[in-house]
Amino acid sequence: MSEPEPELETMDKRVQRSKQTVLAATYKLLSEGGIGGVSVDGVSRLSGVSKTTIYRHWPSRTALLLDACSKLGTGPTIPDTGSLKGDVTMLAKHLAHELQSARWPAVLPSIIDAAERDPDLAQLHAGLHAGLMAPFLEVAERARKRGELAPGQKASEIVAAIVAPFFYRRWFSREPIDEEFVKSAVRDIVGRSKYK
Amino acid sequence: MSEPEPELETMDKRVQRSKQTVLAATYKLLSEGGIGGVSVDGVSRLSGVSKTTIYRHWPSRTALLLDACSKLGTGPTIPDTGSLKGDVTMLAKHLAHELQSARWPAVLPSIIDAAERDPDLAQLHAGLHAGLMAPFLEVAERARKRGELAPGQKASEIVAAIVAPFFYRRWFSREPIDEEFVKSAVRDIVGRSKYK
DNA sequence: ACAGCACGACACAGTATCGTATCATAAGCA
DNA sequence: TGCTTATGATACGATACTGTGTCGTGCTGT
């Protein structure tokens, strides 16, 4: 918002290459060691781009970190099966798969930790979280318009109810997220939305 | 387990005092800055105990850290109101209060982050988690014996179902955990246990 | 072809960290 | 009281990190 953002097109090829290389390396270190595992020296070593150049493009380590983190949670395509159950099933399966294979789940705890103290990171976390939840929210909203949700029920509550058990499993109880679990989670949600 | 643990009674008064002082300082730094916020130098400065002495009692920073962390989750007294709803209500209120005021919720993310990579910390996390869940598990088990749970329902599932939304709120959506939320969470659980 | 600009290779200052070592002091224990 | 033992002050070496400064080289856009 405050950055002029000088249009990738008009950028010097060398700058493009450098920035991209550096971001890739940062992302790798990030996913391997969390926020604490990222140092400018480390990024320089891994990427082969000299530290001097890195500091030419990012004013500080924090800036680089925020830049890399912001490209973390690219959501899936939003399904549209026509029913809440169908949509949620697809999203839940996708989430289950990502939680166990993608790289961002390994990074998120360190962001949450940092957000506990640093306002900038808290904001970043809010953005990431919103991005992750967006598909679920969209699906819930549609169900609402279809009349599949009880009157008093907020869409965000549905979203929390479906996602919370997944997160709990991934980071707190650390149990595997198998097909059985996904099924029962979806069942709970759908059951809850219909009655009462 | 593997440590001889030389009986607090027989310890030199000076040792007792040092260890306690150091642990207190460590705990404070831990709750303020997470695991990353604890350095031996920092503990020394804050506690007034010299670094030399700290290294006399703990072989490494990690050892000190594990020692301090292990005293983190001292659970509440387990209620016994005679019904699942009563018990869960009490525990949920207690949890809600702790999540917003106690110090361990600020530390847990850093432990989870570390557990993502360090096996020792993963074990520590497992222990803490077990300690936190124990009261809920006990209460659920009792409900089971009373016949308040459906046959196929595992106690641990009930526990996960009640706790997950609290954790989600505290660390992911970062919404306040008010009385309304606690009520509806309890309602969900009790409803789920009775039918089907 | 040529000028400008980005680049890499240093080197540097300042800070913070983990552990270790030495030695004098003071507290506790018998 | 006197002996043992924990402690504090201090310095040290090794490492890692942030961020800046300098300078020569070579890629890029015109």
Side-chain angles (χ1 to χ4, degrees):
Chain A
M1 306 305 169
S2 53
E3 280 287 314
E5 188 64 30
E7 301 300 333
L8 266 122
E9 305 290 330
T10 79
M11 246 195 275
D12 192 310
K13 274 183 191 173
R14 293 168 288 181
V15 176
Q16 281 182 50
R17 199 174 45 224
S18 294
K19 286 190 116 177
Q20 184 212 330
T21 310
V22 167
L23 276 181
T26 306
Y27 189 78
K28 178 162 191 182
L29 287 182
L30 193 56
S31 55
E32 281 171 3
I35 287 185
V38 176
S39 72
V40 180
D41 286 288
V43 172
S44 172
R45 273 193 299 273
L46 178 61
S47 65
V49 175
S50 87
K51 204 168 53 157
T52 323
T53 299
I54 296 177
Y55 276 106
R56 276 196 195 97
H57 296 307
W58 291 273
S60 66
R61 186 198 98 130
T62 309
L64 172 59
L65 220 37
L66 290 177
D67 205 351
C69 284
S70 69
K71 274 140 191 157
L72 222 59
T74 55
T77 53
I78 303 176
D80 192 359
T81 64
S83 75
L84 177 63
K85 177 167 183 175
D87 289 352
V88 166
T89 301
M90 296 212 62
L91 286 179
K93 276 183 182 169
H94 180 77
L95 179 61
H97 183 256
E98 280 228 312
L99 280 177
Q100 294 191 309
S101 64
R103 288 193 287 186
W104 62 262
V107 186
L108 203 48
S110 70
I111 294 180
I112 290 176
D113 176 43
E116 202 72 30
R117 285 149 210 115
D118 182 335
D120 283 347
L121 271 289
Q123 197 173 341
L124 172 70
H125 170 261
L128 284 176
H129 182 254
L132 285 174
M133 294 303 106
F136 287 91
L137 213 84
E138 168 66 22
V139 156
E141 284 293 358
R142 278 207 298 250
R144 206 162 112 93
K145 279 172 189 157
R146 264 189 251 111
E148 285 192 81
L149 264 51
Q153 223 163 18
K154 284 183 195 164
S156 67
E157 283 175 14
I158 289 282
V159 173
I162 176 73
V163 170
F166 282 80
F167 286 7
Y168 175 79
R169 277 228 163 189
R170 173 61 178 78
W171 288 292
F172 294 91
S173 81
R174 299 178 135 246
E175 296 165 274
I177 302 176
D178 50 23
E179 204 167 329
E180 184 54 40
F181 173 75
V182 175
K183 260 191 192 171
S184 86
V186 171
R187 199 189 313 131
D188 281 355
I189 286 307
V190 176
R192 179 182 316 210
S193 70
K194 292 246 171 77
Y195 314 80
K196 171 66 186 293
Chain B
M1 307 301 171
S2 54
E3 279 289 314
E5 188 65 31
E7 302 298 333
L8 265 124
E9 305 288 332
T10 78
M11 250 196 271
D12 192 311
K13 274 183 191 173
R14 291 167 288 182
V15 176
Q16 281 182 51
R17 198 174 47 223
S18 293
K19 286 190 115 177
Q20 183 212 332
T21 309
V22 167
L23 276 180
T26 306
Y27 189 78
K28 178 162 191 182
L29 286 181
L30 193 57
S31 54
E32 281 170 3
I35 286 186
V38 176
S39 71
V40 180
D41 287 279
V43 172
S44 172
R45 274 193 299 273
L46 178 61
S47 65
V49 175
S50 89
K51 202 168 56 158
T52 323
T53 298
I54 297 178
Y55 275 107
R56 278 196 193 97
H57 296 307
W58 290 274
S60 67
R61 186 198 99 129
T62 309
L64 172 60
L65 219 38
L66 289 177
D67 205 351
C69 283
S70 67
K71 274 138 192 159
L72 221 61
T74 56
T77 52
I78 303 176
D80 191 0
T81 64
S83 76
L84 178 63
K85 177 168 183 175
D87 289 352
V88 165
T89 302
M90 295 211 63
L91 286 178
K93 277 183 180 167
H94 179 77
L95 179 61
H97 182 258
E98 280 227 313
L99 279 177
Q100 294 190 310
S101 65
R103 289 193 285 185
W104 62 262
V107 186
L108 203 48
S110 69
I111 294 180
I112 290 175
D113 176 43
E116 202 72 31
R117 286 150 210 113
D118 181 336
D120 283 347
L121 270 290
Q123 198 174 338
L124 172 71
H125 170 261
L128 283 177
H129 181 255
L132 285 174
M133 294 303 108
F136 287 92
L137 213 83
E138 167 67 22
V139 155
E141 284 293 358
R142 280 207 297 251
R144 207 164 118 91
K145 280 172 189 157
R146 262 190 251 111
E148 285 192 81
L149 263 51
Q153 222 163 16
K154 282 185 197 165
S156 67
E157 283 175 13
I158 288 282
V159 174
I162 176 72
V163 171
F166 283 81
F167 286 7
Y168 175 79
R169 278 228 162 189
R170 174 61 178 80
W171 288 293
F172 294 91
S173 81
R174 299 180 135 244
E175 297 165 274
I177 302 175
D178 52 22
E179 204 166 329
E180 183 56 39
F181 173 75
V182 175
K183 261 192 192 171
S184 86
V186 171
R187 198 188 315 129
D188 281 356
I189 287 306
V190 177
R192 178 183 316 209
S193 71
K194 291 247 171 77
Y195 314 79
K196 172 60 188 291

